[in-house]
Amino acid sequence: MTNSSAGLPAAGRLYVVATPIGNLGDLSVRARETLANCALIAAEDTRHTGILLKHFGITTPQLSLHDHNEGMRAIEIIARLREGKSVALVSDAGTPAISDPGFELVRAVAAAGIDIIAIPGPCAAIAALSIGALPTDRFCFEGFLPARGAARRQRLKSLEKESRTLVIYESPHRVRETLEDCLAAFGETRAATVVREATKLHETTYRGSLLELLHKSKSDADFARGEIVLLIGGAQMPASGDADSDATAALDKVLAALLTELPLKQAARLAAQITGARDNEAYKRALFLKQQSASH
Ligand code: SAM
């Protein structure tokens, strides 16, 4: 490759390479070839990426690039690119620069006028959206919410009227607290999906209203294990995706009150009369609510 009539070496390219989010089978052929053929791999954690490289028999040297050295590394990497060497950027898992290091480097390389090529692949947010059963025509990526409770609640409050599906990365030990905050901000009937351990052995997807997911987070010990993406339907998006959810919420409210005083069958019959719900529907909801409260 030549760069100019001045005989300077052509600049290399920066390849932004997505790597698996759990299942090594998800490394694309193109990603593998790129990692093998570049002069250098800039990796968030060289030990972590070392395991991936070893698995695929790739011996390309690595350089660490993380949040604390990205500015300095960008200068070094641009120098290598100008020498004509190509560099691959990877993070620990998924797509670099998506809630991961890489943005500063990409911006600096773009400003230097050097080509940047995407080698797309796994991304937890997109994987979750693709199976979440919530609208995907428009969505809003929030990444990680603030860790501190007050700041998190404030951020969620500001999203109360957001009509696009929200995509949130969450750590397992905070997911219950976050669901509680979401419930306070968006109401208990808002539809939500939790995708945990996508592409891994224990991949599980939980779908329901925020209230149902909060109950699940308390009753299912696995709920808060592993890596999690939380999706929340936009405003006007009740759990079943149609007007039935409002009716279900009203039925649940009446049932919750009656179940504290009456046997299940009687509570269901009365609730059906009060709300206009079908008898068998009221009975099913009563059973569901009873089971939920028994599991706490
Ligand atoms: N750059 C990555 C991507 O493209 O998805 C995201 C990196 S971010 C530091 C890590 C977060 O992504 C985790 O805390 C979790 O919220 C989500 N995540 C990563 N892998 C996941 C998986 N296998 N299943 C569910 N969520 C995952």
Side-chain angles (χ1 to χ4, degrees), residues 18-23 44 91-101 121-128 141 143-144 168-172 195-200 203 226-230:
T19 57
I21 56 171
N23 189 325
E44 179 180 8
S91 60
D92 285 354
T95 302
I98 306 299
S99 290
D100 262 343
C123 174
I126 300 300
F141 180 65
F144 288 100
I168 293 168
Y169 284 163
E170 192 46 280
S171 83
V195 177
R196 62 175 280 270
E197 297 288 85
T199 79
K200 302 186 206 175
E203 171 167 347
E227 297 194 278
I228 285 167
V229 180
L230 169 61

Side-chain angles (χ1 to χ4, degrees), residues 81-131:
L81 291 165
R82 286 201 165 119
E83 286 166 11
K85 308 263 193 294
S86 284
V87 176
L89 168 68
V90 297
S91 60
D92 285 354
T95 302
I98 306 299
S99 290
D100 262 343
F103 165 66
E104 292 293 345
L105 175 66
V106 168
R107 186 160 68 163
V109 171
I114 295 169
D115 286 351
I116 307 172
I117 307 291
I119 309 292
C123 174
I126 300 300
L129 276 166
S130 72
I131 60 170

Side-chain angles (χ1 to χ4, degrees), residues 17-20 23-32 35 52 56 58 122:
V17 181
T19 57
N23 189 325
L24 292 183
D26 291 337
L27 188 77
S28 73
V29 172
R30 195 163 163 240
R32 195 171 161 172
L35 293 174
L52 179 82
F56 288 101
I58 296 168

Side-chain angles (χ1 to χ4, degrees), residues 114-234:
I114 295 169
D115 286 351
I116 307 172
I117 307 291
I119 309 292
C123 174
I126 300 300
L129 276 166
S130 72
I131 60 170
L134 290 171
T136 50
D137 47 347
R138 298 169 74 229
F139 58 85
C140 176
F141 180 65
E142 275 294 313
F144 288 100
L145 294 171
R148 277 187 31 252
R152 186 172 60 240
R153 285 188 284 278
Q154 206 175 353
R155 173 75 57 82
L156 290 170
K157 188 81 196 142
S158 75
L159 294 166
E160 189 185 357
K161 297 202 164 47
E162 175 57 63
S163 60
R164 295 168 291 181
T165 297
L166 295 173
V167 185
I168 293 168
Y169 284 163
E170 192 46 280
S171 83
H173 67 268
R174 235 184 351 247
V175 68
R176 192 180 301 168
E177 245 176 276
T178 297
L179 280 172
E180 273 163 3
D181 291 344
C182 286
L183 199 141
F186 307 134
E188 54 189 42
T189 58
R190 184 77 74 90
T193 299
V194 165
V195 177
R196 62 175 280 270
E197 297 288 85
T199 79
K200 302 186 206 175
L201 186 61
H202 297 292
E203 171 167 347
T204 319
T205 302
Y206 304 89
R207 301 184 185 87
S209 66
L210 280 172
L211 183 63
E212 285 163 346
L213 291 189
L214 182 61
H215 286 325
K216 193 78 186 158
S217 75
K218 292 176 181 170
S219 63
D220 180 345
D222 289 334
F223 189 96
R225 288 206 180 106
E227 297 194 278
I228 285 167
V229 180
L230 169 61
L231 305 175
I232 299 176

Side-chain angles (χ1 to χ4, degrees), residues 73-84:
R73 286 296 198 228
I75 297 167
E76 293 173 45
I77 289 170
I78 287 170
R80 300 293 288 274
L81 291 165
R82 286 201 165 119
E83 286 166 11

